[in-house]
Amino acid sequence: MDTRAISKIAIITIGLCLGYTVTVLTRLPWWTLFFVAAIWVGLGLKLRWGGPNNARYRKVWPWSLVPLSLWGVYVYLADSFGIVDLGAVFFHLQAGISKHGGAGKMLTAVLYTLIMIGVLTSVTWLSRHDQRWRLAERFFAIVLLASNPLLFGLGQRSAAIVTDDGAWLDRRYQLPPTQELKNPPNLLLMYLESIERTYANELFGDAYANLNALGERGAVFEGVRQMNNTGWTMAGMIASQCGVPLMPAGLLHDSQFEPLSKVVPGVDCLGDILAKQGYQLSYLGGASSQFAGKGLFYRGHHFSTVKGREELEPLLEDPEYVNSWGLFDDTLYDITADEIRRLNSEHNGPWGVVSLNLAGHAPHGYPSQSCVPQQGEFDGQDILYSVECSTWLARQLVERLESEGLLDNTVVVILSDHLTMRVPVWDQLTALDRDNTLIMLGDAIPPQRIRRDATMLDVFPTLLDALGFRLKEQRAGLGTSLFSDKQTLVESHGIEVVNERLQEETALQHRLWEGISPQRRESQASSPQEQIVETPDDVADEVKFIH
């Protein structure tokens, strides 16, 4: 094959990848990649890239190889998850990902790697055979480095070391309540994987109809948005049960080459608070409890029963009825019902059960066979089928438990763990104002719709409020009870400011990981009960946002 033909292959390879990158990072339809590629190839052929008349071969290694590789990593993450959260990447690397169910993602990663090798080879070929490329790619290497969101995010976190105020969030942290409850209610906390409230929009048909029906009987919260470091399963659960964003341990971890031994041990979470009230606590999840530190989190915060795929799979009548992540929702909910029956019969005090399903997991979901009679066969692609199946089975579980009298004096909370990641209806979802599902049912919770500008941090005090706890200033952690008239953090400051402050925060990170970090700042340890609410700078911020 002659030099000119190889140059054409290199130009086409780069053009197709450039077009694909544009479609991933924008809302343009997939077919526009060919339009972008055609422009690139046309320009390359016209300018005779790789084969100019005065071509001089030089064996050089382009400066842009590393920047291009980093961009390849970013495009892969954006294509897989939609919104790239560096916190999620760092946390999963430390907490463990060996028990994930995303075999398809691994194949995609291999494919991306092979494609990136092709791109890097093409750039190297063109740079060696065309002096114009040798000169231009040095400039583009700098542009690629400066524009990569991955490096921008790392730079922001690094800047936290020298920030003037790394304790903005920590000053606003409110210790959870400690008083004793009288006749405490039971708690059923149902996380529906990725089933955000945005699916209630008419664009998505009846996918959310079952949750709308449940919501008519209790409190429906609208406007629960997603701030940074709360956008994946463990982060969503910690935000809603601890009232804090999940800031990865990072360099605070005292054994950098070992997995985490504890998850956010420095704060009291829902399990710690309820255990002091005599609650018997159970966690049941369809996926592995070893993935991303779920088991560590629940065991470390006083859940006596923690069961994931490894513990639940032997209980199945049909061992083959599982998916790549774990149990289907119908079998998980059968086991959940059995656990609640056991707790009602064996335990005299209150109980709390947390379940985490799988049906809505991106990109296409894992719907149960139980949904086939009413929804027809699943085509393997339609995420709305999976959403409807997830919501229907959740409603069926609640109604089944109610019919057996197992939910007397029980608060039922149904919520999404986070907004969904990239799915087939991604463009429609991202064109809307997205928010999480949060529905609360109980004897003392009248039917109502509450619209607040809130985040998952506010779920924690709202849940404690529903259980009957008296909250200081209606707050716990960084959240505010949505049943109250007190302003939430984002109502006071705006979500953009809160996210910016989170990038600079160091004191809250130390608080979360106290016990596994080498040391904690002396100023933090001197008076753990004392909370400084405002500083002069904080007051200035408040005035700016009020006016």
Side-chain angles (χ1 to χ4, degrees), residues 82-100:
I83 299 173
V84 180
D85 193 326
L86 282 177
V89 176
F90 296 146
F91 177 78
H92 282 84
L93 289 176
Q94 260 185 327
I97 58 174
S98 61
K99 297 295 183 178
H100 68 85

Side-chain angles (χ1 to χ4, degrees), residues 128 135 433 467:
R128 289 181 174 185
L135 294 173
D433 291 329
L467 291 172

Side-chain angles (χ1 to χ4, degrees), residues 97-160:
I97 58 174
S98 61
K99 297 295 183 178
H100 68 85
K105 286 284 189 291
M106 298 299 294
L107 294 176
T108 303
V110 171
L111 179 60
Y112 260 86
T113 301
L114 294 176
I115 292 172
M116 278 308 302
I117 291 174
V119 171
L120 299 179
T121 302
S122 299
V123 170
T124 302
W125 170 271
L126 292 172
S127 297
R128 289 181 174 185
H129 290 81
D130 191 333
Q131 59 269 31
R132 295 170 299 176
W133 268 77
R134 287 197 290 274
L135 294 173
E137 68 89 18
R138 298 178 184 181
F139 168 76
F140 285 117
I142 297 172
V143 173
L144 289 169
L145 283 172
S147 62
N148 192 318
L150 278 178
L151 299 180
F152 179 72
L154 287 171
Q156 282 189 309
R157 281 304 301 155
S158 300

Side-chain angles (χ1 to χ4, degrees), residues 170 507 510 514 518-528 530:
D170 195 61
H510 278 273
E514 185 175 24
Q519 62 183 4
R520 182 172 164 85
R521 299 190 311 181
E522 293 300 322
S523 60
Q524 295 288 321
S526 59
S527 180
E530 183 180 355

Side-chain angles (χ1 to χ4, degrees), residues 86-95 154 157-158 161 229 232 246-265 505-506 508-510 512-514 516-518:
L86 282 177
V89 176
F90 296 146
F91 177 78
H92 282 84
L93 289 176
Q94 260 185 327
L154 287 171
R157 281 304 301 155
S158 300
I161 299 173
N229 287 49
W232 67 96
L246 178 48
M247 303 179 71
L251 296 177
L252 297 182
H253 190 200
D254 52 10
S255 299
Q256 290 303 305
F257 300 102
E258 296 293 331
L260 292 172
S261 59
K262 300 176 183 178
V263 177
V264 294
E505 185 75 21
T506 55
L508 182 64
Q509 186 183 28
H510 278 273
L512 296 181
W513 297 101
E514 185 175 24
I516 70 166
S517 59

Side-chain angles (χ1 to χ4, degrees), residues 150-300:
L150 278 178
L151 299 180
F152 179 72
L154 287 171
Q156 282 189 309
R157 281 304 301 155
S158 300
I161 299 173
V162 295
T163 185
D164 291 336
D165 182 8
W168 191 86
L169 288 170
D170 195 61
R171 284 196 300 275
R172 287 158 172 78
Y173 182 86
Q174 176 66 57
L175 293 172
T178 58
Q179 84 271 10
E180 185 175 347
L181 291 180
K182 295 181 179 179
N183 190 29
N186 303 314
L187 173 65
L188 173 58
L189 185 57
M190 299 173 62
Y191 287 99
L192 306 188
E193 170 68 46
S194 302
I195 307 298
E196 58 185 88
R197 205 187 70 85
T198 322
Y199 283 120
N201 190 283
E202 61 184 10
L203 287 174
F204 308 113
D206 293 331
Y208 199 84
N210 288 289
L211 292 191
N212 282 334
L214 278 178
E216 292 174 359
R217 300 162 41 195
V220 176
F221 298 88
E222 302 175 357
V224 181
R225 302 164 68 190
Q226 183 164 289
M227 65 174 286
N228 291 350
N229 287 49
T230 65
W232 67 96
T233 295
M234 272 304 301
M237 290 194 294
I238 287 173
S240 55
Q241 293 185 41
C242 310
V244 292
L246 178 48
M247 303 179 71
L251 296 177
L252 297 182
H253 190 200
D254 52 10
S255 299
Q256 290 303 305
F257 300 102
E258 296 293 331
L260 292 172
S261 59
K262 300 176 183 178
V263 177
V264 294
V267 290
D268 281 343
C269 299
L270 182 67
D272 305 300
I273 297 166
L274 297 187
K276 293 176 183 176
Q277 302 289 331
Y279 278 74
Q280 188 75 11
L281 301 172
S282 299
Y283 165 79
L284 303 171
S288 171
S289 61
Q290 298 178 41
F291 177 72
K294 286 196 290 285
L296 289 175
F297 171 69
Y298 283 104
R299 292 188 187 96

